[in-house]
């Protein structure tokens, strides 16, 4: 104990009345008294907390923060595993196909009489088309090995952190923090490289369920372990407070096995998102974003989005108080909205999930009232030109380069009125609420893999 602290404590003890009781040794210093001296002052006993339980130690706070970061990294690794599993299966199947074709070509080359000229030329053309995929396949396999190495490092770091928590002994916390930061950077780079690409196509709609009113939203968590298959549903776009949580997609389809969350503040619009166990939504008649934690059933944070329009000032073309649209992709949490200074053009802001602080903002130049809906994939905003039948994905804004282009990607709007459209990076699908129907779309992302030095 420092000398100043000891003197301050003694001064305070001289003022403490008898029988005063402070927190237990597990929580901090315990001070209590049992008698008085001749001057009437308390004779007190001080019990110091055990060293490994001292929560006021700044190192303990640092350790808790690092453990939270590692936990988030672990969850992101599981998301990356889940999202890239299908890609790796496709790579393996393609590789087998290429080997089979190559084998047939060799046989045909050695024995030209086994193939007629037309068949031989078709086989040769097929191989020519497949050959450029070879370096792509090699890169995929290399990336898969990198994911395995990252997972091993995360596990090792988790064990170190748990051991330190047990002992709370001497350790170089700065070195540990740098290891966590390096892992975060490598993981982000890996997710960008393996999971990201340019949107080139959207599948035909897959209707999961027909339920609720004309407007609403439904979603799964964008960043949870693969074992978490919960589905959330929020019917309506104005003043709603009831969120239904289903155990699985199958339960949602059947409308069974759900629990209800009653939000303390009503919502506006349908631009809600569930990210890492919390619901982020726009508070009714305000530009305030609320972070509601499902497990604790409590509001962890609420913060206004600076200058954002609300209450149908700058909605999508379908209206519905859709001024503020929250979404998540491979790069994190986003808000899509607009402001009067931006003349009604769509603004994109990347948010810090813990504090809801705006990290960076882009002005797309695209008028929000002309947009049917929008979603983010890999840091790119994609905008549809209508919420009605005949819609297509018409505009893309790339935050990594602050550039845009007009696109022409077909989008089958089966039920003719979309009031919610969001991308889930964990499953790589689009979730849609379409005229009382809950619909999924698979997406095709084109990935460009460059060789070093290109």
């Amino acid at each position: 104990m420092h000398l100043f602290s000891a003197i301050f404590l003694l001064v305070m003890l001289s003022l403490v009345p008898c029988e005063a009781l402070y927190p237990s040794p597990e929580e901090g210093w315990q001070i209590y008294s049992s008698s008085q001296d001749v001057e009437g002052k308390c004779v007190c006993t001080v019990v110091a907390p055990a060293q490994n339980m001292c929560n006021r130690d700044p190192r303990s706070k640092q350790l808790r923060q690092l453990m939270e970061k590692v936990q988030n990294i672990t969850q992101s690794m599981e998301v990356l595993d889940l999202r890239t599993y299908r890609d790796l299966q496709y790579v393996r199947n393609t590789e087998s196909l290429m080997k089979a074709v190559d084998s047939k070509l060799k046989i045909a080359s050695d024995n030209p009489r086994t193939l007629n000229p037309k068949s031989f030329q078709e086989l040769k053309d097929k191989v020519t088309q497949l050959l450029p995929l070879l370096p792509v396949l090699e890169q995929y396999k290399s990336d898969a090995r990198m994911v395995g190495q990252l997972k091993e490092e995360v596990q090792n770091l988790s064990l170190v952190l748990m051991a330190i928590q047990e002992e709370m002994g001497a350790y170089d916390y700065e070195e540990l923090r740098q290891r966590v930061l390096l892992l975060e950077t490598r993981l982000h780079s890996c997710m960008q490289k393996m999971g990201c690409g340019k949107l080139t196509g959207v599948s035909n709609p897959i209707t999961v369920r027909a339920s609720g009113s004309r407007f609403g939203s439904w979603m799964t968590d964008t960043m949870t372990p693969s074992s978490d298959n919960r589905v959330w549903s929020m019917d309506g776009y104005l003043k709603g407070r009831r969120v239904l949580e289903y155990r699985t997609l199958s339960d949602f389809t059947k409308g069974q096995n759900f629990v209800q969350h009653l939000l303390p503040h009503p919502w506006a619009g349908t631009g809600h998102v569930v990210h890492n166990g919390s619901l982020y939504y726009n508070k009714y008649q305000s530009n305030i974003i609320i972070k509601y934690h499902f497990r604790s059933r409590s509001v962890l944070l609420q913060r206004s989005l600076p200058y954002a329009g609300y209450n149908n000032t700058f909605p999508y073309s379908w209206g519905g108080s859709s001024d503020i649209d929250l979404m998540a992709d491979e790069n994190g949490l986003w808000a899509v909205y607009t402001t009067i200074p931006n003349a009604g053009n769509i603004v994109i802001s990347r948010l810090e999930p813990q504090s809801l602080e705006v990290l960076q903002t882009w002005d797309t130049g695209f008028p929000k009232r002309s947009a049917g809906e929008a979603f983010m994939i890999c840091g790119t905003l994609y905008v549809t030109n209508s919420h009605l039948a005949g819609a297509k994905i018409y505009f893309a804004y790339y935050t990594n380069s602050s550039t845009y282009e007009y696109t022409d990607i077909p989008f089958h709007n089966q039920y003719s009125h979309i009031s919610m459209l969001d991308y889930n990076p964990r499953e790589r699908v689009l979730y849609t609420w379409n005229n009382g129907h809950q619909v999924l779309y698979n997406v095709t992302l084109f990935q460009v893999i460059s060789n070093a030095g290109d």
Side-chain angles (χ1 to χ4, degrees):
M1 203 173 188
H2 296 300
L3 178 61
F4 175 81
S5 300
I7 294 172
F8 177 76
L9 180 60
L10 290 174
V11 172
M12 291 300 296
L13 292 183
S14 67
L15 302 176
V16 173
C18 293
E19 306 303 328
L21 186 64
Y22 284 74
S24 66
E26 286 78 13
E27 298 175 4
W29 296 88
Q30 185 183 36
I31 307 170
Y32 63 91
S33 59
S34 58
S35 60
Q36 294 178 322
D37 63 11
V38 292
E39 297 179 3
K41 296 179 181 178
C42 292
V43 177
C44 298
T45 302
V46 177
V47 180
Q51 182 180 357
N52 64 338
M53 297 299 294
C54 186
N55 289 331
R56 295 182 183 180
D57 187 341
R59 293 184 307 170
S60 177
K61 181 179 179 181
Q62 291 174 334
L63 179 62
R64 286 196 303 273
Q65 291 172 343
L66 289 176
M67 291 187 73
E68 288 174 3
K69 280 183 175 290
V70 172
Q71 182 181 8
N72 286 337
I73 290 174
T74 303
Q75 289 181 339
S76 296
M77 287 299 307
E78 291 198 37
V79 171
L80 183 62
D81 260 353
L82 182 68
R83 197 179 62 218
T84 57
Y85 174 78
R86 288 176 296 178
D87 286 346
L88 294 176
Q89 286 296 110
Y90 172 77
V91 165
R92 295 186 185 103
N93 294 339
T94 304
E95 189 173 30
S96 300
L97 177 63
M98 292 177 69
K99 288 179 179 178
V101 172
D102 187 50
S103 176
K104 289 181 181 179
L105 184 61
K106 286 180 180 178
I107 293 173
S109 298
D110 295 337
N111 302 282
R113 294 179 183 178
T114 60
L115 286 178
N116 58 49
K118 182 179 179 182
S119 299
F120 181 80
Q121 187 60 43
E122 288 176 354
L123 186 58
K124 187 175 181 180
D125 291 343
K126 196 164 188 178
V127 171
T128 302
Q129 292 174 2
L130 288 173
L131 281 176
L133 289 176
L134 281 172
V136 177
L137 294 176
E138 289 302 317
Q139 186 63 56
Y140 262 121
K141 290 191 289 184
S142 173
D143 289 341
R145 289 193 294 270
M146 181 170 62
V147 171
Q149 293 171 359
L150 278 170
K151 287 175 67 176
E152 185 177 349
E153 289 186 43
V154 171
Q155 290 169 355
N156 292 338
L157 191 55
S158 297
L159 292 174
V160 171
L161 286 168
M162 285 188 286
I164 295 172
Q165 189 178 34
E166 294 273 341
E167 300 295 332
M168 283 300 291
Y171 196 86
D172 189 340
Y173 282 85
E174 183 57 30
E175 178 188 345
L176 186 62
R177 188 179 73 87
Q178 290 300 325
R179 286 177 63 183
V180 172
L181 291 177
L182 179 61
L183 267 178
E184 281 186 316
T185 302
R186 291 175 61 198
L187 175 63
H188 181 72
S189 174
C190 184
M191 292 184 77
Q192 283 284 80
K193 188 176 185 180
M194 293 187 67
C196 277
K198 182 178 180 179
L199 180 67
T200 57
V202 177
S203 73
N204 286 325
I206 304 165
T207 302
V208 175
R209 186 183 178 192
S211 67
S213 66
R214 191 179 190 187
F215 315 97
S217 60
W218 71 295
M219 66 213 81
T220 55
D221 200 321
T222 59
M223 195 184 89
T224 61
S226 56
S227 58
D228 188 345
N229 298 308
R230 289 175 295 171
V231 177
W232 289 269
S233 176
M234 301 167 69
D235 194 5
Y237 68 84
L238 200 64
K239 296 193 286 188
R241 294 178 58 198
R242 195 168 74 120
V243 183
L244 300 184
E245 176 187 306
Y246 295 85
R247 187 179 58 183
T248 64
L249 180 61
S250 176
D251 288 336
F252 173 72
T253 303
K254 299 171 185 175
Q256 64 184 26
N257 294 328
F258 64 86
V259 296
Q260 176 178 286
H261 298 267
L262 193 62
L263 300 176
H265 306 287
W267 71 69
T270 59
H272 328 301
V273 65
V274 177
H275 182 68
N276 200 18
S278 293
L279 170 70
Y280 296 82
Y281 71 96
N282 177 210
K283 184 179 179 181
Y284 173 60
Q285 287 191 330
S286 75
N287 61 3
I288 293 174
I289 299 172
I290 290 180
K291 179 182 180 180
Y292 175 85
H293 189 242
F294 284 115
R295 180 171 293 178
S296 64
R297 293 178 175 263
S298 63
V299 171
L300 299 185
L301 183 66
Q302 49 182 316
R303 186 168 189 163
S304 64
L305 191 59
Y307 310 110
Y310 61 92
N311 202 25
N312 261 343
T313 304
F314 298 113
Y316 289 124
S317 60
W318 66 273
S321 295
S322 55
D323 303 76
I324 298 174
D325 193 358
L326 302 169
M327 52 191 75
D329 71 351
E330 292 80 359
N331 293 354
L333 186 66
W334 304 84
V336 173
Y337 58 104
T338 191
T339 66
I340 292 176
N342 287 92
N345 292 330
I346 290 179
V347 172
I348 307 170
S349 287
R350 192 160 67 90
L351 306 179
E352 206 293 308
Q354 301 302 320
S355 66
L356 292 179
E357 177 187 357
V358 174
L359 300 176
Q360 193 172 356
T361 297
W362 295 261
D363 180 1
T364 67
F366 191 92
K368 191 164 185 289
R369 286 182 175 274
S370 298
E373 267 287 346
F375 54 92
M376 297 287 298
I377 298 181
C378 300
T380 298
L381 179 74
Y382 294 95
V383 181
T384 67
N385 63 341
S386 172
H387 62 282
L388 302 172
K392 64 181 178 180
I393 298 171
Y394 178 73
F395 178 84
Y397 187 91
Y398 306 97
T399 60
N400 62 342
S401 60
S402 298
T403 59
Y404 69 88
E405 69 173 334
Y406 289 93
T407 60
D408 188 11
I409 302 174
F411 181 76
H412 182 31
N413 186 346
Q414 184 172 0
Y415 302 106
S416 303
H417 196 288
I418 289 177
S419 60
M420 169 258 176
L421 177 60
D422 265 333
Y423 169 72
N424 188 305
R426 184 175 71 139
E427 302 156 1
R428 221 186 286 185
V429 297
L430 296 173
Y431 280 72
T432 303
W433 190 290
N434 193 339
N435 213 355
H437 298 79
Q438 290 74 52
V439 181
L440 291 176
Y441 295 83
N442 290 310
V443 299
T444 301
L445 303 181
F446 178 72
Q447 296 168 294
V448 179
I449 299 177
S450 301
N451 295 323
D454 286 358

